Amino acid sequence: MSRELFKFKGGIHPPGHKAESTGRPIHPAPLPKKLVIPLRQHIGNPARPIVDVGERVLKGQLIAAADGAISTAVHASSSGIVSAIGPARVPHISGLPDECITIETDGRDEWIAHGPLDYQAMTRADLLAHLRDMGLAGLGGAVFPSAVKLDPGAAQTCPTLIINGGECEPWITCDDMLMRTQADAILQGVAIMRHLLGSSEILIGIEDNKPEAIAAMQAATAKTDFAVETVSLPTRYPGGGAKQMIETLTGKQVPSGKLSTDIGIQVFNVGTAYALARAVHHGEPLISRLVTVTGHVLRAQNVEALIGTPFDTLIQLAGDRDGTTGVLMGGPMMGLPIPDTSVPVVKATNCILVESAELFPPPPKALPCIRCTRCADACPAELQPQELFRFAKSDDFGRAQEYHLFDCIECGCCSYVCPSHIPLVDFYRYAKSEIWARERDKRAADLARERHEFRLFRQEREKTEKAEKLAAKAQAKRAELAAAPTEAGNSGTSEADAKKALIAAALARAQAKKTETTPQNTDNLSPDTQQEIAEIETRRAKIRALARKPLESEETP
Amino acid sequence: MLTAILVMVGIAVVTGLVLGWSAIRFKVEGNPLAEKIDAILPQTQCGQCGFPGCRPYAEAIAKGEADINQCPPGGEEGVKKLADLLGVEPKSLDETHGTSKPKSVAFIDEQTCIGCTLCIQACPVDAIAGAAKQMHTIIAAECTGCELCLPPCPVDCISMVPIAEDLPHWKWKHPVIEIKPVELKRVA
Ligand code: SF4
Ligand code: SF4
Ligand code: SF4
Ligand code: SF4
């Protein structure tokens, strides 16, 4: 390859541990009895359930629809009965539950009617809407809804399309295995991306520790009817990060706070391209993915797992061993510890890394920062990790943001090289989530201020309206009285007299009301009825006397 | 000497006039400092600071009539922000105005509510929906947790429920790292 490559700043060379899981062929995971499918598997709004408990669903059936602009759909991964819709454990470091649809599978794995799509005959908007309904999301880890990324927006085209096969994180090999086995399908997906984005330059970046994958992709690209180049990149973590890959391939840097599309580049993971091809050419929504199960297991391998399959099932398939100390979702650099292994595989689950004390010894105790700036040398985002650490630790979030905290990709290079073993990334994650929480609080406060001010305004308005109404009424009354012929002569027009007349009129009205309300049915009666009334009255008196008696006798025995 | 004095007086008069004119010409509506203080206050509108809402408290601080540590919902962090804004030393929260509590929202036991509308009249942000003799309910997304609806309720059917942590609101905790002190070996 003659292509000139560029070098991103920083980076590290951690041991790869790739061979552990590339020695075995991809194995399909067994169909579990129960599939737990979270509604929030992607960035953006969670999907909205459209099935009911007790309903039978087929494999590939839409069970929750995309909700809002940034969202994507969720499908049943196999046929069965919906047994629950509600909170269940999801793969998250907190162990907190989230909304999920649980399906009791029936073992028949019966597909819904599906078939290929003539995407070239469709308008861009229709095709994007269709992809959104197919549940596509980035499989590289960020799980951003693909339909949003495939929309070039106002620019109409995105000149450069990069397919990321970097897979720089140690231990993970699912993209490697996918490229080795499905190179043609990946390129079919790339063709659809090219169609949507109108890209003229297409580059596939693969780190040179994956020679088989590079060979497979090169063989496949030789057959395509559009220009696409497979580029072998030097292996250096985090070379598979989107911004790092862009810099290595094009020499361009994405400016702070900007998106890669602002400089005319869009990046997709190879897994996403494959899922796109399955969705368009086979009508299969995103219901399964490749997962690397590796680390402290007997048979490290890649498995094709249905979304919703429990981690436990996959770990058992790979052969669980004694001495397991924990499980990570993702790799050792950026992965997150999962406290409960009964949680399901989701669209973001690229790797299940089982830890043991030998493979992942607990980190040595942290020492104070000696300001050696080794972290700054290693940081691929060109940040000052030691300063970010200082600000995050003292809750000085404003300063942390001034030092571009949000450019941090949480790659962990800084923690890796830190001679004081400070868990730096944990501090950045803490600071980021605090800043988000504060922004949420700020929005809530703004809403409250607005509503409070509206309430004050409303109260004021009601007060003036009431006063005006009263004034208008009094005015009308006065005018009425003034207009009426005054018996007392023309002196009745004076203000005091008008008031007096008002009071007199009000009194008369009150009197009239009183007489109206007093019961008058006992007046003007015939002597017969009066006689009857008297009889009834005496009877009542007797009954009253009787009713009182037993009580008294009881009380005074 | 006299010319110098005259020149100085002249300059003073001219600048005085210019300043006076611009003060009228470029008069800022409202009080910009109170505005900035109000932006920091949490807008719970609970009145614990001793003022009928956040805005009046902000104005009182701006005029120097109230201290910066009287808002319990804002907590120590709010005091610190106010101190930063005003360029004064931060102090600890004045406990006589209450202590900062975990954020809660009001909840009406709808079986017990008699529909007297008293809570609606007390709510500073119109977060209660209901009508006379009808069951009332709290719009949780708009409730600031000010607790002002609690005392007027004649049947005590309103309670404060702390907001449970869910996944979208989950936060990373401040990492606890044990910093090991360097052991000093005593030379015998
Ligand atoms: S590498 Fe560690 S000790 Fe060195 S400056 Fe960075 S945080 Fe401090
Ligand atoms: S985790 Fe963040 S600060 Fe540390 S090296 Fe990576 S990008 Fe830089
Ligand atoms: S105490 Fe209550 S009313 Fe006063 S400023 Fe704080 S939130 Fe606003
Ligand atoms: S004050 Fe209590 S009883 Fe009256 S409407 Fe409100 S919740 Fe119901």
Side-chain angles (χ1 to χ4, degrees):
Chain A
M1 285 286 114
S2 56
R3 194 181 178 84
E4 187 199 355
L5 292 178
F6 300 84
K7 200 165 177 273
F8 65 89
K9 200 195 141 284
I12 52 169
H13 294 275
H17 291 291
K18 302 274 191 182
E20 278 88 338
S21 52
T22 50
R24 291 184 182 79
I26 296 170
H27 199 290
L31 178 67
K33 286 218 157 43
K34 202 162 84 175
L35 291 163
V36 179
I37 304 174
L39 299 176
R40 192 197 311 272
Q41 295 185 47
H42 47 263
I43 288 181
N45 294 337
R48 187 169 28 83
I50 55 162
V51 289
D52 291 317
V53 173
E55 203 173 317
R56 176 156 198 267
V57 291
L58 296 173
K59 181 173 183 150
Q61 183 177 335
L62 183 73
I63 54 173
D67 193 13
I70 300 187
S71 183
T72 192
V74 169
H75 300 78
S77 317
S78 185
S79 59
I81 307 285
V82 175
S83 64
I85 300 176
R89 287 291 187 89
V90 293
H92 190 265
I93 179 172
S94 66
L96 285 171
D98 200 17
E99 293 298 306
C100 295
I101 295 179
T102 306
I103 298 170
E104 302 284 347
T105 56
D106 56 15
R108 279 187 271 171
D109 213 21
E110 194 182 326
W111 265 102
I112 196 163
H114 62 293
L117 192 72
D118 182 11
Y119 71 93
Q120 266 152 348
M122 290 172 85
T123 66
R124 182 183 275 163
D126 284 352
L127 181 53
L128 289 173
H130 180 76
L131 296 179
R132 190 170 123 102
D133 290 343
M134 292 304 252
L136 291 178
L139 297 182
V143 270
F144 195 83
S146 303
V148 182
K149 275 176 78 180
L150 283 167
D151 185 355
Q156 289 298 319
T157 74
C158 182
T160 306
L161 171 62
I162 294 179
I163 304 301
N164 188 340
E167 199 164 53
C168 55
E169 174 113 17
W171 292 97
I172 310 178
T173 57
C174 57
D175 290 347
D176 184 2
M177 292 304 280
L178 187 73
M179 287 186 283
R180 291 188 199 188
T181 55
Q182 300 290 350
D184 290 323
I186 292 171
L187 284 168
Q188 285 172 2
V190 174
I192 303 164
M193 290 174 173
R194 173 176 171 265
H195 170 75
L196 277 165
L197 294 171
S199 311
S200 47
E201 183 185 32
I202 304 170
L203 302 167
I204 302 176
I206 307 171
E207 284 195 346
D208 58 13
N209 60 353
K210 291 180 268 293
E212 295 92 341
I214 294 173
M217 291 308 291
Q218 273 170 348
T221 47
K223 289 180 276 173
T224 52
D225 54 1
F226 55 92
V228 44
E229 191 183 338
T230 303
V231 188
S232 162
L233 312 174
T235 298
R236 184 158 53 106
Y237 180 83
K243 288 186 178 176
Q244 285 67 39
M245 179 150 291
I246 289 172
E247 188 167 358
T248 312
L249 285 172
T250 68
K252 291 186 197 163
Q253 277 197 353
V254 182
S256 170
K258 287 263 162 67
L259 298 171
S260 66
T261 42
D262 295 334
I263 55 169
I265 302 173
Q266 189 60 285
V267 185
F268 286 96
N269 175 264
V270 285
T272 315
Y274 175 69
L276 179 61
R278 295 304 298 178
V280 171
H281 294 304
H282 302 269
E284 291 175 11
L286 182 53
I287 53 167
S288 71
R289 68 157 298 151
L290 276 194
V291 182
T292 308
V293 188
T294 185
H296 186 62
V297 288
L298 293 170
R299 296 172 298 274
Q301 59 185 297
N302 280 280
V303 290
E304 172 87 36
L306 295 175
I307 304 293
T309 309
F311 276 28
D312 284 331
T313 309
L314 302 189
I315 297 171
Q316 272 154 27
L317 185 73
D320 52 337
R321 290 167 67 180
D322 290 341
T324 298
T325 52
V327 169
L328 295 178
M329 178 164 105
M333 301 297 297
M334 296 179 77
L336 294 176
I338 301 297
D340 175 1
T341 52
S342 68
V343 294
V345 165
V346 291
K347 291 174 186 174
T349 313
N350 50 0
C351 179
I352 297 175
L353 181 55
V354 183
E355 294 178 302
S356 69
E358 304 94 70
L359 289 174
F360 302 95
K365 278 225 173 88
L367 296 167
C369 169
I370 53 168
R371 304 190 65 76
C372 63
T373 66
R374 272 192 225 177
C375 48
D377 294 337
C379 176
E382 306 189 12
L383 302 174
Q384 297 288 322
Q386 77 283 8
E387 301 295 331
L388 290 176
F389 163 63
R390 192 156 65 91
F391 299 135
K393 194 169 144 225
S394 56
D395 289 359
D396 193 348
F397 302 124
R399 297 291 295 282
Q401 269 177 288
E402 279 169 31
Y403 275 74
H404 304 290
L405 172 68
F406 282 95
D407 282 351
C408 166
I409 57 168
E410 301 178 20
C411 64
C413 290
C414 50
S415 318
Y416 187 84
V417 298
C418 177
S420 292
H421 312 291
I422 304 173
L424 295 162
V425 185
D426 289 355
F427 283 92
Y428 309 147
R429 285 174 172 150
Y430 158 74
K432 285 182 186 176
S433 78
E434 282 296 325
I435 292 167
W436 286 323
R438 276 171 181 66
E439 271 170 18
R440 260 202 314 269
D441 289 351
K442 182 102 199 23
R443 278 198 296 277
D446 288 344
L447 176 73
R449 182 187 296 113
E450 205 176 286
R451 290 184 68 88
H452 182 61
E453 275 165 10
F454 178 74
R455 179 185 159 88
L456 294 179
F457 160 76
R458 179 172 61 78
Q459 280 173 334
E460 201 53 42
R461 188 187 62 195
E462 273 166 12
K463 221 189 274 166
T464 45
E465 269 174 9
K466 206 165 168 187
E468 269 165 23
K469 228 189 208 159
L470 277 178
K473 213 164 161 192
Q475 191 66 43
K477 252 287 136 45
R478 227 170 279 154
E480 196 181 294
L481 281 174
T486 44
E487 297 106 66
N490 20 0
S491 66
T493 43
S494 84
E495 192 71 354
D497 278 348
K499 252 193 195 144
K500 242 182 235 161
L502 260 176
I503 293 166
L507 272 177
R509 262 202 319 277
Q511 199 60 44
K513 232 182 206 162
K514 213 173 180 182
T515 40
E516 257 169 43
T517 47
T518 32
Q520 302 195 331
N521 58 346
T522 46
D523 307 344
N524 318 321
L525 294 174
S526 67
D528 278 5
T529 351
Q530 270 177 359
Q531 173 77 22
E532 217 173 284
I533 288 169
E535 269 172 25
I536 291 166
E537 279 302 319
T538 45
R539 221 173 30 236
R540 275 192 188 148
K542 234 184 249 166
I543 292 165
R544 258 182 233 130
L546 274 174
R548 223 169 280 142
K549 240 182 208 160
L551 263 178
E552 281 162 10
S553 57
E554 261 171 44
E555 273 170 355
T556 52
Chain B
M1 180 65 190
L2 192 70
T3 7
I5 291 174
L6 280 177
V7 167
M8 295 303 263
V9 168
I11 291 172
V13 168
V14 170
T15 37
L17 282 175
V18 169
L19 282 176
W21 174 80
S22 47
I24 297 163
R25 176 66 181 75
F26 302 110
K27 192 168 186 293
V28 182
E29 274 310 314
N31 183 340
L33 182 59
E35 203 81 27
K36 277 189 199 144
I37 297 172
D38 192 43
I40 292 175
L41 296 176
Q43 306 301 319
T44 310
Q45 313 293 358
C46 61
Q48 287 182 82
C49 49
F51 294 88
C54 304
R55 179 78 210 192
Y57 177 46
E59 272 156 20
I61 298 178
K63 282 196 216 123
E65 288 166 3
D67 214 337
I68 56 168
N69 60 349
Q70 301 183 0
C71 169
E76 302 286 349
E77 200 186 322
V79 179
K80 193 170 163 284
K81 278 196 201 150
L82 288 175
D84 281 350
L85 175 72
L86 301 170
V88 296
E89 274 304 303
K91 42 177 94 175
S92 58
L93 202 64
D94 183 353
E95 302 271 314
T96 55
H97 291 275
T99 47
S100 119
K101 291 183 220 167
K103 189 155 165 33
S104 307
V105 289
F107 172 77
I108 294 180
D109 176 7
E110 290 168 359
Q111 301 303 315
T112 321
C113 170
I114 54 170
C116 68
T117 77
L118 290 176
C119 54
I120 291 196
Q121 293 164 38
C123 178
V125 290
D126 290 338
I128 305 179
K133 302 209 178 88
Q134 305 290 317
M135 171 199 88
H136 284 50
T137 193
I138 308 265
I139 309 163
E142 269 147 26
C143 173
T144 63
C146 68
E147 304 191 2
L148 291 179
C149 51
L150 264 53
C153 179
V155 290
D156 284 338
C157 69
I158 313 181
S159 51
M160 299 306 295
V161 188
I163 299 173
E165 191 174 50
D166 61 353
L167 218 94
H169 297 100
W170 178 84
K171 288 195 289 189
W172 285 84
K173 307 293 171 293
H174 194 292
V176 197
I177 51 167
E178 273 179 75
I179 303 269
K180 196 171 56 178
V182 178
E183 278 169 38
L184 289 177
K185 291 233 170 67
R186 190 169 292 167
V187 186

